[in-house]
Amino acid sequence: MGILQPELSVERVPNRPGERCLVVSYELDIAQDDPAIGHVVREEVVVEPRDEHDAPVRPQPVAFRFVDEVTVTEPGTIDRRLEKEVHRVDLDVEQDWWDTDMAGGTEPIAEFADHLDATLTLRVGGIEIARRMTPVVTGSWGALGTD
């Protein structure tokens, strides 16, 4: 059993500007003689910040965890998509700097890019059978960002 083309994306949630959806998509590749056929595969995702050294601050130590399951019934490739909704501000792992003016408005000081990646682990009966990381995704999800 293998994990092909793992990808992490951060998508907007319709009608909820303060929310984002973390999406991990991949192809689950099952060989003809794979012992997992007929079993439930537990999918575990951990999305974490990455320090890409482009800001004078360290990323916040957050981790977003989510799980799903898929029953493998036959060999072949299965397209998978796992999702978790989070607050946009929680994705501000390289936190932006701003100040508040006398009228209560926000005065930008510095906006920093945020970097995330995901580790996808597959288990059958509690035994790890595959693990892959996604490429890093970059955005600006903080108070000064537009992503």
Side-chain angles (χ1 to χ4, degrees):
M1 178 168 299
I3 298 170
L4 304 176
Q5 301 177 6
E7 294 288 332
L8 169 64
S9 61
V10 180
E11 299 177 1
R12 294 177 186 270
V13 177
N15 302 317
R16 296 197 342 241
E19 301 285 319
R20 295 294 181 266
C21 187
L22 299 173
V23 177
V24 172
S25 58
Y26 75 101
E27 293 178 358
L28 178 58
D29 186 41
I30 302 112
Q32 188 71 29
D33 59 348
D34 196 309
I37 294 174
H39 295 278
V40 174
V41 175
R42 179 179 172 89
E43 304 159 303
E44 301 172 358
V45 173
V46 179
V47 177
E48 296 180 288
R50 287 295 159 238
D51 189 355
E52 296 288 320
H53 305 295
D54 60 350
V57 294
R58 291 272 185 225
Q60 297 296 308
V62 297
F64 306 97
R65 299 175 187 278
F66 46 111
V67 299
D68 203 352
E69 294 180 340
V70 59
T71 301
V72 176
T73 58
E74 59 187 72
T77 302
I78 303 171
D79 290 330
R80 297 294 297 154
R81 179 181 167 103
L82 293 83
E83 303 177 359
K84 180 179 183 76
E85 289 186 13
V86 297
H87 291 282
R88 179 175 171 256
V89 71
D90 291 336
L91 298 176
D92 186 20
V93 295
E94 299 267 7
Q95 292 194 338
D96 298 340
W97 295 349
W98 70 91
D99 198 4
T100 305
D101 63 22
M102 296 295 267
T106 301
E107 292 184 15
I109 297 173
E111 177 185 350
F112 301 114
D114 304 301
H115 310 284
L116 303 167
D117 66 15
T119 302
L120 172 62
T121 305
L122 304 180
R123 288 183 166 72
V124 174
I127 299 170
E128 183 177 316
I129 57 172
R131 179 183 294 229
R132 289 277 305 268
M133 288 184 71
T134 66
V136 172
V137 172
T138 299
S140 184
W141 297 288
L144 304 179
T146 59
D147 292 341

